[in-house]
Amino acid sequence: MSLRYAVLTLLDIEPGSGYDLKRRFERSVSHFWSASHQQMYRELHRLHDEGLLDCTEQPQAGKPDKKIYALTEAGREALDVWVQRPAPPQKIREPFLIQLFAGHHLDNAQARELVQRQLDRHRALLAGYIEQNERALKGDPERLERYWLAHRTLLLGIESEKTWIAWAEKLLQELDRR
């Protein structure tokens, strides 16, 4: 259900094509919500069929027309209603934690390698989030002010990655002592 509202939110910020939407999704919402290219296009078509999106075709030289999606008034109203509802907390769905939970099947070196790979992944995510935050802070101050709550999701991502890193580093130290 939340993909539809992620799509509505991104198109509320700025109309765009399916390709534009996917790029925006990957730079923002994908840090805490996942969707494939196909899911995104299915949702665009569904929202259009429900009258929540308008679609205009933009001619392109030597290519098929580009479809540009924008919220309708009904789409904006649906987003307004949804954003005011309380969101239920989600449980963590992390395959790595299942692997670690079954870690008694690993020797110490294998466990260390598993944790180190995860640590490297989270360090890379943190570096990406910090870079994205620096770009946001150097960008348009009016845009940053308007979307300051959206920016807070990025700041939570930074803090979350710092927590993962600290936890994994401590776990590696414990594995080294064993």
Side-chain angles (χ1 to χ4, degrees):
M1 187 55 113
S2 289
L3 176 58
R4 84 186 280 113
Y5 296 106
V7 169
L8 289 172
T9 299
L10 290 170
L11 291 173
D12 181 50
I13 293 169
E14 183 178 359
S17 68
Y19 178 77
D20 297 333
L21 182 66
K22 183 65 176 161
R23 279 193 11 239
R24 275 189 253 153
F25 189 93
E26 288 168 355
R27 288 191 316 254
S28 60
V29 180
S30 71
H31 300 298
F32 50 85
W33 197 263
S34 64
S36 70
H37 195 71
Q38 294 85 0
Q39 288 172 310
M40 186 95 51
Y41 275 96
R42 274 195 305 269
E43 197 61 47
L44 279 170
H45 294 296
R46 214 174 322 197
L47 291 166
H48 182 256
D49 290 346
E50 292 174 24
L52 301 179
L53 297 179
D54 275 332
C55 179
T56 57
E57 294 193 6
Q58 196 176 69
Q60 300 186 102
K63 297 180 193 176
D65 291 349
K66 185 177 187 178
K67 292 181 178 184
I68 304 295
Y69 294 92
L71 261 67
T72 61
E73 190 56 39
R76 199 165 274 100
E77 288 172 12
L79 184 58
D80 286 345
V81 168
W82 174 81
V83 78
Q84 295 179 51
R85 286 189 204 140
Q90 295 293 305
K91 294 187 187 285
I92 296 172
R93 292 184 61 161
E94 178 61 59
F96 165 73
L97 295 178
I98 297 294
Q99 290 176 308
L100 202 57
F101 196 74
H104 57 279
H105 291 279
L106 303 171
D107 63 33
N108 206 41
Q110 291 169 319
R112 192 174 201 305
E113 182 182 331
L114 183 70
V115 173
Q116 185 64 56
R117 277 196 314 264
Q118 196 70 7
L119 176 58
D120 294 344
R121 178 178 164 260
H122 284 282
R123 283 179 175 154
L125 284 170
L126 177 60
Y129 291 171
I130 289 171
E131 183 180 310
Q132 190 174 353
N133 187 49
E134 288 170 357
R135 279 194 315 270
L137 294 174
K138 290 177 185 173
D140 178 10
E142 286 180 22
R143 186 174 174 88
L144 187 60
E145 177 60 28
R146 177 180 167 112
Y147 299 110
W148 73 274
L149 283 173
H151 183 238
R152 293 312 178 271
T153 65
L154 175 59
L155 297 178
L156 177 60
I158 289 171
E159 293 306 313
S160 177
E161 294 309 322
K162 287 178 179 178
T163 300
W164 266 98
I165 289 166
W167 174 81
E169 287 172 342
K170 184 177 179 183
L171 183 53
L172 286 174
Q173 291 171 355
E174 292 172 13
L175 285 167
D176 288 344
R177 284 193 294 269
R178 295 183 131 246

